[in-house]
mmCIF file with all atom_site columns, all heavy atoms in Angstrom:
data_model
loop_
_atom_site.group_PDB
_atom_site.id
_atom_site.type_symbol
_atom_site.label_atom_id
_atom_site.label_alt_id
_atom_site.label_comp_id
_atom_site.label_asym_id
_atom_site.label_entity_id
_atom_site.label_seq_id
_atom_site.pdbx_PDB_ins_code
_atom_site.Cartn_x
_atom_site.Cartn_y
_atom_site.Cartn_z
_atom_site.occupancy
_atom_site.B_iso_or_equiv
_atom_site.pdbx_formal_charge
_atom_site.auth_seq_id
_atom_site.auth_comp_id
_atom_site.auth_asym_id
_atom_site.auth_atom_id
_atom_site.pdbx_PDB_model_num
ATOM 1   N N   . TYR O 1 26 ? 0.829  10.621  -15.532 1.00 98.00 ? 26 TYR O N   1
ATOM 2   C CA  . TYR O 1 26 ? -0.532 10.420  -15.023 1.00 98.00 ? 26 TYR O CA  1
ATOM 3   C C   . TYR O 1 26 ? -0.567 10.093  -13.532 1.00 98.00 ? 26 TYR O C   1
ATOM 4   O O   . TYR O 1 26 ? -1.179 10.809  -12.732 1.00 98.00 ? 26 TYR O O   1
ATOM 5   C CB  . TYR O 1 26 ? -1.211 9.312   -15.827 1.00 98.00 ? 26 TYR O CB  1
ATOM 6   C CG  . TYR O 1 26 ? -2.674 9.129   -15.509 1.00 98.00 ? 26 TYR O CG  1
ATOM 7   C CD1 . TYR O 1 26 ? -3.586 10.168  -15.657 1.00 98.00 ? 26 TYR O CD1 1
ATOM 8   C CD2 . TYR O 1 26 ? -3.162 7.908   -15.057 1.00 98.00 ? 26 TYR O CD2 1
ATOM 9   C CE1 . TYR O 1 26 ? -4.930 10.000  -15.362 1.00 98.00 ? 26 TYR O CE1 1
ATOM 10  C CE2 . TYR O 1 26 ? -4.499 7.719   -14.768 1.00 98.00 ? 26 TYR O CE2 1
ATOM 11  C CZ  . TYR O 1 26 ? -5.381 8.776   -14.916 1.00 98.00 ? 26 TYR O CZ  1
ATOM 12  O OH  . TYR O 1 26 ? -6.707 8.606   -14.621 1.00 98.00 ? 26 TYR O OH  1
ATOM 13  N N   . LEU O 1 27 ? 0.100  9.042   -13.136 1.00 98.00 ? 27 LEU O N   1
ATOM 14  C CA  . LEU O 1 27 ? 0.047  8.621   -11.731 1.00 98.00 ? 27 LEU O CA  1
ATOM 15  C C   . LEU O 1 27 ? 0.632  9.641   -10.756 1.00 98.00 ? 27 LEU O C   1
ATOM 16  O O   . LEU O 1 27 ? 0.063  9.842   -9.675  1.00 98.00 ? 27 LEU O O   1
ATOM 17  C CB  . LEU O 1 27 ? 0.756  7.270   -11.562 1.00 98.00 ? 27 LEU O CB  1
ATOM 18  C CG  . LEU O 1 27 ? 0.187  6.086   -12.350 1.00 98.00 ? 27 LEU O CG  1
ATOM 19  C CD1 . LEU O 1 27 ? 0.977  4.825   -12.041 1.00 98.00 ? 27 LEU O CD1 1
ATOM 20  C CD2 . LEU O 1 27 ? -1.284 5.876   -12.040 1.00 98.00 ? 27 LEU O CD2 1
ATOM 21  N N   . PRO O 1 28 ? 1.741  10.320  -11.066 1.00 98.00 ? 28 PRO O N   1
ATOM 22  C CA  . PRO O 1 28 ? 2.308  11.255  -10.087 1.00 98.00 ? 28 PRO O CA  1
ATOM 23  C C   . PRO O 1 28 ? 1.379  12.405  -9.726  1.00 98.00 ? 28 PRO O C   1
ATOM 24  O O   . PRO O 1 28 ? 1.575  13.060  -8.696  1.00 98.00 ? 28 PRO O O   1
ATOM 25  C CB  . PRO O 1 28 ? 3.571  11.780  -10.789 1.00 98.00 ? 28 PRO O CB  1
ATOM 26  C CG  . PRO O 1 28 ? 3.925  10.738  -11.792 1.00 98.00 ? 28 PRO O CG  1
ATOM 27  C CD  . PRO O 1 28 ? 2.610  10.199  -12.260 1.00 98.00 ? 28 PRO O CD  1
ATOM 28  N N   . TYR O 1 29 ? 0.367  12.653  -10.551 1.00 97.00 ? 29 TYR O N   1
ATOM 29  C CA  . TYR O 1 29 ? -0.560 13.760  -10.305 1.00 97.00 ? 29 TYR O CA  1
ATOM 30  C C   . TYR O 1 29 ? -1.904 13.269  -9.748  1.00 97.00 ? 29 TYR O C   1
ATOM 31  O O   . TYR O 1 29 ? -2.911 13.970  -9.842  1.00 97.00 ? 29 TYR O O   1
ATOM 32  C CB  . TYR O 1 29 ? -0.760 14.548  -11.596 1.00 97.00 ? 29 TYR O CB  1
ATOM 33  C CG  . TYR O 1 29 ? 0.548  15.089  -12.136 1.00 97.00 ? 29 TYR O CG  1
ATOM 34  C CD1 . TYR O 1 29 ? 1.224  14.421  -13.157 1.00 97.00 ? 29 TYR O CD1 1
ATOM 35  C CD2 . TYR O 1 29 ? 1.137  16.231  -11.586 1.00 97.00 ? 29 TYR O CD2 1
ATOM 36  C CE1 . TYR O 1 29 ? 2.441  14.891  -13.626 1.00 97.00 ? 29 TYR O CE1 1
ATOM 37  C CE2 . TYR O 1 29 ? 2.354  16.699  -12.048 1.00 97.00 ? 29 TYR O CE2 1
ATOM 38  C CZ  . TYR O 1 29 ? 3.008  16.028  -13.068 1.00 97.00 ? 29 TYR O CZ  1
ATOM 39  O OH  . TYR O 1 29 ? 4.218  16.492  -13.530 1.00 97.00 ? 29 TYR O OH  1
ATOM 40  N N   . GLY O 1 30 ? -1.878 12.077  -9.176  1.00 98.00 ? 30 GLY O N   1
ATOM 41  C CA  . GLY O 1 30 ? -3.073 11.561  -8.530  1.00 98.00 ? 30 GLY O CA  1
ATOM 42  C C   . GLY O 1 30 ? -3.898 10.625  -9.383  1.00 98.00 ? 30 GLY O C   1
ATOM 43  O O   . GLY O 1 30 ? -5.012 10.264  -8.999  1.00 98.00 ? 30 GLY O O   1
ATOM 44  N N   . GLY O 1 31 ? -3.367 10.197  -10.523 1.00 98.00 ? 31 GLY O N   1
ATOM 45  C CA  . GLY O 1 31 ? -4.107 9.287   -11.374 1.00 98.00 ? 31 GLY O CA  1
ATOM 46  C C   . GLY O 1 31 ? -4.098 7.860   -10.855 1.00 98.00 ? 31 GLY O C   1
ATOM 47  O O   . GLY O 1 31 ? -3.329 7.502   -9.958  1.00 98.00 ? 31 GLY O O   1
ATOM 48  N N   . SER O 1 32 ? -4.974 7.038   -11.419 1.00 98.00 ? 32 SER O N   1
ATOM 49  C CA  . SER O 1 32 ? -5.039 5.621   -11.071 1.00 98.00 ? 32 SER O CA  1
ATOM 50  C C   . SER O 1 32 ? -5.475 4.849   -12.312 1.00 98.00 ? 32 SER O C   1
ATOM 51  O O   . SER O 1 32 ? -6.197 5.381   -13.151 1.00 98.00 ? 32 SER O O   1
ATOM 52  C CB  . SER O 1 32 ? -6.027 5.389   -9.928  1.00 98.00 ? 32 SER O CB  1
ATOM 53  O OG  . SER O 1 32 ? -7.319 5.868   -10.287 1.00 98.00 ? 32 SER O OG  1
ATOM 54  N N   . LYS O 1 33 ? -5.041 3.597   -12.409 1.00 97.00 ? 33 LYS O N   1
ATOM 55  C CA  . LYS O 1 33 ? -5.331 2.851   -13.638 1.00 97.00 ? 33 LYS O CA  1
ATOM 56  C C   . LYS O 1 33 ? -5.240 1.355   -13.396 1.00 97.00 ? 33 LYS O C   1
ATOM 57  O O   . LYS O 1 33 ? -4.498 0.894   -12.530 1.00 97.00 ? 33 LYS O O   1
ATOM 58  C CB  . LYS O 1 33 ? -4.329 3.244   -14.739 1.00 97.00 ? 33 LYS O CB  1
ATOM 59  C CG  . LYS O 1 33 ? -4.818 2.965   -16.154 1.00 97.00 ? 33 LYS O CG  1
ATOM 60  C CD  . LYS O 1 33 ? -5.958 3.897   -16.529 1.00 97.00 ? 33 LYS O CD  1
ATOM 61  C CE  . LYS O 1 33 ? -6.419 3.698   -17.958 1.00 97.00 ? 33 LYS O CE  1
ATOM 62  N NZ  . LYS O 1 33 ? -7.593 4.534   -18.289 1.00 97.00 ? 33 LYS O NZ  1
ATOM 63  N N   . ILE O 1 34 ? -5.998 0.607   -14.213 1.00 97.00 ? 34 ILE O N   1
ATOM 64  C CA  . ILE O 1 34 ? -5.910 -0.852  -14.254 1.00 97.00 ? 34 ILE O CA  1
ATOM 65  C C   . ILE O 1 34 ? -5.628 -1.257  -15.697 1.00 97.00 ? 34 ILE O C   1
ATOM 66  O O   . ILE O 1 34 ? -6.267 -0.751  -16.622 1.00 97.00 ? 34 ILE O O   1
ATOM 67  C CB  . ILE O 1 34 ? -7.219 -1.515  -13.792 1.00 97.00 ? 34 ILE O CB  1
ATOM 68  C CG1 . ILE O 1 34 ? -7.487 -1.200  -12.326 1.00 97.00 ? 34 ILE O CG1 1
ATOM 69  C CG2 . ILE O 1 34 ? -7.155 -3.030  -13.981 1.00 97.00 ? 34 ILE O CG2 1
ATOM 70  C CD1 . ILE O 1 34 ? -8.801 -1.775  -11.828 1.00 97.00 ? 34 ILE O CD1 1
ATOM 71  N N   . LYS O 1 35 ? -4.675 -2.161  -15.893 1.00 96.00 ? 35 LYS O N   1
ATOM 72  C CA  . LYS O 1 35 ? -4.388 -2.698  -17.217 1.00 96.00 ? 35 LYS O CA  1
ATOM 73  C C   . LYS O 1 35 ? -4.426 -4.225  -17.165 1.00 96.00 ? 35 LYS O C   1
ATOM 74  O O   . LYS O 1 35 ? -3.917 -4.838  -16.217 1.00 96.00 ? 35 LYS O O   1
ATOM 75  C CB  . LYS O 1 35 ? -2.998 -2.250  -17.708 1.00 96.00 ? 35 LYS O CB  1
ATOM 76  C CG  . LYS O 1 35 ? -2.914 -0.786  -18.108 1.00 96.00 ? 35 LYS O CG  1
ATOM 77  C CD  . LYS O 1 35 ? -3.687 -0.505  -19.373 1.00 96.00 ? 35 LYS O CD  1
ATOM 78  C CE  . LYS O 1 35 ? -3.534 0.939   -19.820 1.00 96.00 ? 35 LYS O CE  1
ATOM 79  N NZ  . LYS O 1 35 ? -4.338 1.221   -21.029 1.00 96.00 ? 35 LYS O NZ  1
ATOM 80  N N   . PHE O 1 36 ? -5.024 -4.827  -18.177 1.00 95.00 ? 36 PHE O N   1
ATOM 81  C CA  . PHE O 1 36 ? -5.056 -6.269  -18.319 1.00 95.00 ? 36 PHE O CA  1
ATOM 82  C C   . PHE O 1 36 ? -4.116 -6.649  -19.455 1.00 95.00 ? 36 PHE O C   1
ATOM 83  O O   . PHE O 1 36 ? -4.288 -6.189  -20.584 1.00 95.00 ? 36 PHE O O   1
ATOM 84  C CB  . PHE O 1 36 ? -6.478 -6.751  -18.598 1.00 95.00 ? 36 PHE O CB  1
ATOM 85  C CG  . PHE O 1 36 ? -7.420 -6.498  -17.462 1.00 95.00 ? 36 PHE O CG  1
ATOM 86  C CD1 . PHE O 1 36 ? -8.133 -5.304  -17.388 1.00 95.00 ? 36 PHE O CD1 1
ATOM 87  C CD2 . PHE O 1 36 ? -7.572 -7.431  -16.449 1.00 95.00 ? 36 PHE O CD2 1
ATOM 88  C CE1 . PHE O 1 36 ? -8.989 -5.049  -16.329 1.00 95.00 ? 36 PHE O CE1 1
ATOM 89  C CE2 . PHE O 1 36 ? -8.429 -7.184  -15.384 1.00 95.00 ? 36 PHE O CE2 1
ATOM 90  C CZ  . PHE O 1 36 ? -9.140 -5.991  -15.317 1.00 95.00 ? 36 PHE O CZ  1
ATOM 91  N N   . VAL O 1 37 ? -3.121 -7.457  -19.139 1.00 92.00 ? 37 VAL O N   1
ATOM 92  C CA  . VAL O 1 37 ? -2.095 -7.837  -20.102 1.00 92.00 ? 37 VAL O CA  1
ATOM 93  C C   . VAL O 1 37 ? -2.405 -9.250  -20.606 1.00 92.00 ? 37 VAL O C   1
ATOM 94  O O   . VAL O 1 37 ? -2.469 -10.200 -19.814 1.00 92.00 ? 37 VAL O O   1
ATOM 95  C CB  . VAL O 1 37 ? -0.695 -7.796  -19.460 1.00 92.00 ? 37 VAL O CB  1
ATOM 96  C CG1 . VAL O 1 37 ? 0.383  -8.110  -20.496 1.00 92.00 ? 37 VAL O CG1 1
ATOM 97  C CG2 . VAL O 1 37 ? -0.444 -6.432  -18.827 1.00 92.00 ? 37 VAL O CG2 1
ATOM 98  N N   . THR O 1 38 ? -2.621 -9.383  -21.909 1.00 89.00 ? 38 THR O N   1
ATOM 99  C CA  . THR O 1 38 ? -2.985 -10.678 -22.481 1.00 89.00 ? 38 THR O CA  1
ATOM 100 C C   . THR O 1 38 ? -1.929 -11.155 -23.462 1.00 89.00 ? 38 THR O C   1
ATOM 101 O O   . THR O 1 38 ? -1.124 -10.371 -23.959 1.00 89.00 ? 38 THR O O   1
ATOM 102 C CB  . THR O 1 38 ? -4.346 -10.593 -23.191 1.00 89.00 ? 38 THR O CB  1
ATOM 103 O OG1 . THR O 1 38 ? -4.235 -9.686  -24.299 1.00 89.00 ? 38 THR O OG1 1
ATOM 104 C CG2 . THR O 1 38 ? -5.432 -10.106 -22.251 1.00 89.00 ? 38 THR O CG2 1
#
Side-chain angles (χ1 to χ4, degrees):
Y26 187 58
L27 299 182
Y29 302 99
S32 58
K33 202 69 177 176
I34 295 177
K35 287 290 183 182
F36 295 90
V37 184
T38 64

